[in-house]
Amino acid sequence: MLTNALQFCGGLVLLLVGGRLLVSASVDTAKRLRVSPLVVGLTLVAWGTSAPELALNLISAYKDRGDLALGNVVGANICNLALVLGVCALIKPLVVQERLIKVEIWLNAAILGFMAVLGLTGGFQKWEAGVMLGVFGAYSMWTIMAALRQTDAASSPAAADTLGDDPTREQGVMGWMMIGACFIGGLALLSFGGSLASDGASGIALALGVPAAIVGVTIVSIGTTLPEMVTGVMAVRKGQTDLAMGNAIGSCLFNAGAVFGIVGLVSPPGVDGALALPLAYMGILAIALVPISRTFGKTVSRLEGGLLLASYAGFLVVSAILATRG
């Protein structure tokens, strides 16, 4: 128990340091490229903080444990939508930019809803995983090209003249070498810290007699989502609520489109009956985010954050009861 507790605490420390490095590097990247932190959060930060899920699930797929990968992806998406957004919104209401409302939130609802329907109606085939991977690839390419066009427009002489009137525009911004070092160091700390904290939390839960099924669906998913949590909290504390929102939504898209798409091509998972509730809850959360993003002046308010956390607590309780009875 003591060893597991030390693992968990050490992992949290690494996550805090890695999250701070990654957020600082992301914000300065947005400033230097003259793109919004939202785009950086949807791409670089989201892909980086999903590194623990990618590593864990690829190893699981190659060991013919596709069902474990499915459970982790579903659990991680639930954590992103209910736990991460809920905690961040309680700290500070999250402003939802118009781009998220028009594109990513709808795309997230479509992909996660599609995934939930497939899982509840007969499982997954390789071609379905390929479709999800292809959709994510097309979306990522469109996002990157749009960001590059925005950068070109901001770099025009007229835009440069306008930006030149702001004497604080480049003050305190890290150089590219330092930004790269912070990205690499932050991602390494997040990946290692997430793994360490997850192993420690799992060990504590098992030592306390918590059913193994509950540990797999909840504790492991929470552990692999800790990088998103830490990054989101750090971003909100710095006033970058759009970066926190983009990180959570972008991580869900990466998990469902890239991580599960690749895993499904390697080893299509079967769907255990125990995953019926998590799949349904994930789909409901993704769809519910559509109206949530349009209320309270297009913010995720503290009230909505509290409701998301309450629903997650209820999900954990119901899952524990069902697993114990099972």
Side-chain angles (χ1 to χ4, degrees), residues 22-324:
L22 191 62
V23 171
S24 297
S26 301
V27 172
D28 283 7
T29 297
K31 289 180 179 179
R32 286 202 167 271
L33 294 178
R34 298 178 182 180
V35 299
S36 70
L38 173 64
V39 173
V40 179
L42 285 167
T43 53
L44 295 177
V45 179
W47 300 347
T49 54
S50 293
E53 285 94 340
L54 180 59
L56 173 65
N57 294 329
L58 278 178
I59 293 172
S60 299
Y62 278 113
K63 292 184 177 180
D64 292 325
R65 296 173 183 168
D67 52 345
L68 174 62
L70 174 61
N72 182 242
V73 168
V74 173
N77 286 342
I78 289 173
C79 286
N80 280 321
L81 296 177
L83 185 60
V84 175
L85 287 183
V87 170
C88 290
L90 282 181
I91 297 173
K92 185 176 183 179
L94 304 176
V95 177
V96 185
Q97 290 195 15
E98 193 65 27
R99 171 195 165 134
L100 276 179
I101 294 175
K102 291 182 177 179
V103 181
E104 278 78 17
I105 289 177
W106 280 105
L107 182 61
N108 184 62
I111 290 182
L112 267 59
F114 178 66
M115 185 176 174
V117 170
L118 290 177
L120 292 171
T121 58
F124 300 91
Q125 304 295 326
K126 284 190 176 183
W127 71 268
E128 294 166 340
V131 168
M132 295 176 70
L133 182 60
V135 170
F136 175 78
Y139 156 75
S140 299
M141 185 62 66
W142 174 78
T143 299
I144 293 171
M145 294 302 294
L148 291 176
R149 287 195 296 269
Q150 181 183 4
T151 302
D152 291 340
S155 300
S156 65
D161 291 341
T162 302
L163 291 170
D165 296 333
D166 182 4
T168 66
R169 180 172 56 87
E170 287 294 331
Q171 288 184 3
V173 179
M174 293 185 290
W176 284 116
M177 291 291 290
M178 183 61 69
I179 288 175
C182 286
F183 260 120
I184 295 172
L187 291 176
L189 289 175
L190 285 173
S191 298
F192 183 62
S195 175
L196 201 61
S198 178
D199 290 344
S202 299
I204 292 172
L206 291 173
L208 293 175
V210 179
I214 298 300
V215 175
V217 174
T218 57
I219 299 297
V220 175
S221 295
I222 292 173
T224 56
T225 314
L226 281 175
E228 284 90 338
M229 172 69 78
V230 174
T231 302
V233 170
M234 291 291 183
V236 169
R237 288 173 61 87
K238 284 192 169 189
Q240 298 288 346
T241 58
D242 50 350
L243 177 60
M245 192 77 185
N247 179 33
I249 301 299
S251 293
C252 286
L253 293 173
F254 185 85
N255 288 337
V259 176
F260 186 72
I262 295 172
V263 168
L265 289 175
V266 174
S267 177
V271 180
D272 189 280
L275 287 177
L277 175 63
L279 280 166
Y281 181 50
M282 179 189 71
I284 291 171
L285 281 173
I287 294 171
L289 197 60
V290 175
I292 287 175
S293 65
R294 297 173 179 270
T295 55
F296 292 94
K298 296 181 180 179
T299 65
V300 181
S301 67
R302 286 190 172 92
L303 173 62
E304 291 167 327
L307 291 175
L308 288 172
L309 286 176
S311 74
Y312 184 68
F315 164 72
L316 293 181
V317 171
V318 174
S319 296
I321 293 173
L322 292 177
T324 301

